[in-house]
């Protein structure tokens, strides 16, 4: 088991049931669906593919919000520098914005348009009727369905489109654990989606894709459950050379707040067509893990590439090697939303670092998994085994680094005779032993964490025990 988690985008390359089985066997922890074109039928298709194999892989739906996307024309269109390309406005045109009618009204001559992750750049030369005449300044191909990024253009659109709302309602109804929301730029946009989710337990991952999102990251982290470092959008908006330092800053800030952080975009891009990655790509994945990312993400590699299973296996191999060289990092920042759990996990991390090999693993009994997530941010060497109260909370921990196994435990009533330190320790150690998480002769740091006066789930325990 590796400590770093792997998120895979699901598409035609991974729609086969056997491919899905192999991807999960190789270490996929979360299945993500890109909401740009997916509908509720596709969400159901992916959920069924995953659940036919495992109930322990989490599900993430992506909502696109204010992102502009081209239509899905039949074949990629080859281009060369100085070519003229016409972007129209209706289905009668070869290329047009599929989700944003009348975009031409907001665009002026001289506007830069970057296609996809910036693979092709266009400059708007003139607007005739409802058509934008553009000159290609670099790039070789225009691929169908790609995003159109317009740096500096003041166009407006809803935080959630009607299609986003439909997909999100369906995902909530059918038990998806995460929504990743595009172009979260401030606390207000994060709150908007949180309010749409309402009382549902679904977790919100904010995709940070532009300068506003970077500038407002502290207020965004106060609202969301985690962030995705969306390096494609960041590269287009900020410039490629600014992405590495921004990635480092975003990962550090997420770790300080005890929030999930996913490194995404083109991590093993060459494996879309090749069976092996480049050395630079391997180093890219390694850097994200060294910096403290909870998850590394595969996009086109597993949704449209030739080698989806090999990509997951390669991610696992890279993470496994890098994790051998990671040292504990006690993060002394304060977690305002979970003060007691924060202090407890700092103490646990210090103890694990000080005693080293004298503690073989950590067992945490945590109703919602918050304590386990906060301990994971300190990057202790010992595996963390968690017992949480239901399948949903179990699956949300699939995006937290350091978690080795998660079990479901119904808890102990405060009025029960078993709500006793010795009985509780005996019970949970037995469950961990039967699950194969621990072995005889090992020394375990056992943490039982519930709010002292408000919950009846498990006694508060912090103790080293022998198995």
């Amino acid at each position: 088991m590796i400590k770093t988690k792997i998120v895979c985008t699901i598409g035609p390359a991974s729609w086969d049931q056997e491919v899905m089985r192999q991807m999960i066997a190789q270490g996929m922890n979360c299945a993500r669906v890109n909401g740009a074109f997916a509908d509720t039928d596709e969400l159901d298709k992916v959920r069924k593919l995953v659940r036919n194999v495992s109930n322990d892989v989490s599900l993430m739906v992506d909502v696109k919000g204010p992102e502009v996307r081209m239509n899905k024309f039949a074949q990629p269109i080859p281009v060369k520098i100085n070519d003229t390309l016409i972007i129209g406005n209706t289905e009668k045109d070869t290329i047009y914005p599929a989700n944003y009618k009348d975009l031409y009204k907001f665009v002026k001559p001289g506007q830069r348009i970057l296609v996809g992750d910036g693979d092709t750049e266009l400059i708007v030369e003139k607007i005739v009727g409802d058509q934008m005449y553009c000159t290609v300044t670099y790039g070789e191909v225009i691929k169908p369905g790609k995003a159109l990024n317009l740096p500096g253009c003041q166009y407006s659109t809803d935080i959630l489109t009607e299609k986003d709302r439909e997909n999100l309602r369906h995902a909530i109804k059918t038990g998806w654990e995460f929504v990743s929301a595009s172009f979260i730029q401030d606390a207000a946009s994060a709150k908007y989606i949180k309010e749409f989710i309402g009382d549902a337990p679904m977790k919100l991952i904010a995709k940070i894709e532009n300068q506003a999102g970077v500038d407002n990251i502290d207020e965004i982290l106060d609202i969301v459950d985690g962030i995705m470092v969306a390096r494609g959008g960041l590269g287009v908006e900020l410039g490629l050379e600014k992405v590495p330092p921004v990635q480092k800053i975003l990962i550090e800030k997420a770790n300080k707040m005890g929030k999930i952080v996913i490194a995404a975009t083109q991590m093993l891009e060459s494996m879309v067509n090749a069976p092996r990655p480049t050395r630079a790509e391997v180093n890219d994945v390694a850097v994200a893990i060294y910096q403290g990312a909870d998850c590394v993400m595969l996009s086109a590699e597993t949704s449209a590439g030739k080698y989806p299973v090999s990509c997951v296996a390669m991610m696992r191999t890279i993470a496994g090697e890098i994790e051998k060289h990671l040292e504990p990092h006690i993060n002394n920042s304060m977690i305002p939303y979970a003060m007691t759990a924060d202090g407890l996990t700092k103490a646990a991390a210090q103890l694990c670092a000080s005693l080293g090999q004298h503690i073989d693993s950590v067992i945490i009994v945590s109703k919602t998994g918050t304590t386990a997530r906060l301990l994971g941010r300190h990057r202790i060497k010992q595996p963390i085994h968690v017992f949480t109260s239901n399948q949903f909370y179990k699956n949300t921990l699939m995006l937290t680094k350091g978690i080795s196994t998660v079990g479901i435990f119904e808890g102990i009533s405060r009025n029960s005779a078993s709500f006793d330190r010795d009985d509780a320790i005996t019970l949970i150690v037995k469950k961990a032993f039967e699950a194969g998480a621990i072995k005889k002769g090992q020394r375990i740091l056992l943490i039982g964490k519930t709010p002292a006066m408000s919950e009846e789930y498990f006694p508060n325990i912090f103790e080293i025990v022998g198995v």
Side-chain angles (χ1 to χ4, degrees):
M1 290 288 294
I2 62 171
K3 295 183 177 183
T4 307
K5 305 306 179 183
I6 302 173
V7 179
C8 298
T9 305
I10 307 304
S14 41
W15 281 346
D16 180 80
Q17 187 67 73
E18 179 59 20
V19 170
M20 180 63 68
R21 186 193 67 77
Q22 292 183 43
M23 287 171 60
I24 293 173
Q26 290 296 338
M28 181 180 83
N29 302 107
C30 178
R32 168 183 173 263
V33 173
N34 189 328
F37 294 100
D39 55 17
T40 56
D41 288 341
E42 184 171 329
L43 296 184
D44 286 341
K45 179 178 183 176
V46 171
R47 179 170 56 87
K48 183 178 179 181
L49 284 168
V50 172
R51 293 290 173 250
N52 282 346
V53 181
S54 173
N55 288 322
D56 299 334
V57 173
S58 62
L59 299 170
M60 177 186 295
V61 59
D62 198 76
V63 292
K64 305 313 294 179
E67 183 178 69
V68 178
R69 288 226 166 217
M70 288 187 296
N71 59 308
K72 296 194 85 172
F73 40 87
Q75 296 292 332
I77 299 173
V79 295
K80 59 182 183 296
I81 293 174
N82 294 326
D83 277 359
T84 296
L85 192 77
I86 300 174
I87 299 177
N89 190 48
T90 70
E91 295 181 4
K92 296 178 181 179
D93 299 293
T94 303
I95 301 175
Y96 62 93
N99 64 338
Y100 202 100
K101 187 174 176 60
D102 297 341
L103 180 66
Y104 71 95
K105 293 180 180 179
F106 300 90
V107 176
K108 297 178 181 179
Q111 172 68 52
R112 294 170 63 227
I113 300 179
L114 294 107
V115 181
D117 293 323
D119 302 320
T120 303
E121 182 184 72
L122 313 173
I123 298 292
V124 178
E125 299 292 345
K126 62 181 179 179
I127 298 170
V128 179
D130 62 357
Q131 295 182 322
M132 296 179 284
Y133 284 71
C134 307
T135 298
V136 178
T137 56
Y138 69 77
E140 297 179 345
V141 67
I142 305 290
K143 296 179 181 179
K146 290 294 182 179
L148 294 176
N149 293 278
L150 295 85
C153 182
Q154 298 300 312
Y155 64 93
S156 61
T157 187
D158 293 333
I159 295 172
L160 292 174
T161 67
E162 186 51 46
K163 185 178 182 182
D164 290 337
R165 294 168 185 271
E166 182 181 2
N167 283 347
L168 190 47
R169 288 190 193 99
H170 189 76
I172 291 170
K173 180 180 177 181
T174 53
W176 289 54
E177 288 85 10
F178 295 97
V179 54
S180 52
S182 298
F183 291 99
I184 297 297
Q185 303 183 65
D186 50 30
S189 54
K191 287 178 180 177
Y192 182 91
I193 297 177
K194 274 284 192 180
E195 289 170 1
F196 186 89
I197 294 171
D199 294 332
M202 176 179 274
K203 305 295 185 181
L204 171 59
I205 305 295
K207 296 173 70 176
I208 307 301
E209 303 187 68
N210 58 19
Q211 188 65 56
V214 175
D215 292 342
N216 297 319
I217 188 59
D218 292 331
E219 65 179 57
I220 292 170
L221 281 168
D222 281 338
I223 305 299
V224 303
D225 301 290
I227 62 171
M228 182 185 295
V229 185
R231 303 178 311 173
L234 288 170
V236 169
E237 293 281 340
L238 277 63
L240 295 175
E241 71 283 357
K242 294 184 180 180
V243 173
V246 165
Q247 172 178 301
K248 183 174 184 292
I249 290 168
L250 293 177
I251 291 175
E252 286 177 353
K253 285 183 174 290
N255 275 288
K256 285 181 179 180
M257 286 292 290
K259 301 295 179 81
I260 297 163
V261 55
I262 305 168
T265 317
Q266 294 184 330
M267 301 210 83
L268 298 178
E269 181 74 7
S270 66
M271 287 190 74
V272 171
N273 294 304
R276 300 280 290 176
T278 66
R279 290 165 180 79
E281 288 168 338
V282 172
N283 193 66
D284 181 37
V285 175
V287 167
I289 296 170
Y290 275 124
Q291 289 176 340
D294 288 276
C295 316
V296 287
M297 193 174 98
L298 295 162
S299 300
E301 301 96 328
T302 49
S303 62
K306 296 179 180 179
Y307 306 98
V309 176
S310 297
C311 287
V312 183
M314 180 56 65
M315 279 291 203
R316 189 195 71 235
T317 300
I318 297 167
E321 181 60 33
I322 299 308
E323 288 168 7
K324 296 176 186 177
H325 305 281
L326 294 178
E327 294 298 325
H329 177 72
I330 312 302
N331 198 315
N332 289 316
S333 60
M334 185 176 67
I335 305 296
Y337 60 87
M339 297 289 288
T340 305
D342 179 29
L344 190 68
T345 53
K346 283 174 183 169
Q350 291 282 6
L351 193 61
C352 288
S354 299
L355 295 183
Q357 295 180 352
H358 297 289
I359 296 178
D360 295 289
S361 60
V362 179
I363 296 176
I364 297 178
V365 185
S366 173
K367 187 171 185 178
T368 65
T370 298
T371 304
R373 188 176 71 250
L374 294 185
L375 181 58
R377 78 188 181 121
H378 299 297
R379 211 159 66 183
I380 64 173
K381 285 187 173 292
Q382 293 83 352
I384 302 171
H385 307 290
V386 187
F387 287 91
T388 192
S389 58
N390 60 43
Q391 188 69 44
F392 180 87
Y393 290 130
K394 178 179 181 179
N395 286 2
T396 59
L397 288 174
M398 291 300 102
L399 293 192
T400 295
K401 63 176 175 282
I403 307 297
S404 292
T405 60
V406 185
I408 297 175
F409 176 61
E410 65 277 9
I412 303 173
S413 170
R414 186 179 292 273
N415 297 320
S416 167
S418 297
F419 202 86
D420 168 84
R421 170 200 165 277
D422 292 339
D423 288 346
I425 289 175
T426 299
L427 176 61
I428 209 67
V429 169
K430 180 181 178 182
K431 284 185 172 294
F433 181 79
E434 291 173 347
I438 59 176
K439 301 176 182 179
K440 286 184 178 180
Q442 290 185 331
R443 298 182 77 201
I444 309 301
L445 174 58
L446 176 59
I447 302 171
K449 173 63 187 76
T450 57
M453 302 304 294
S454 60
E455 301 248 12
E456 296 184 357
Y457 180 65
F458 194 79
N460 283 295
I461 296 172
F462 188 92
E463 187 165 342
I464 297 174
V465 298
V467 181

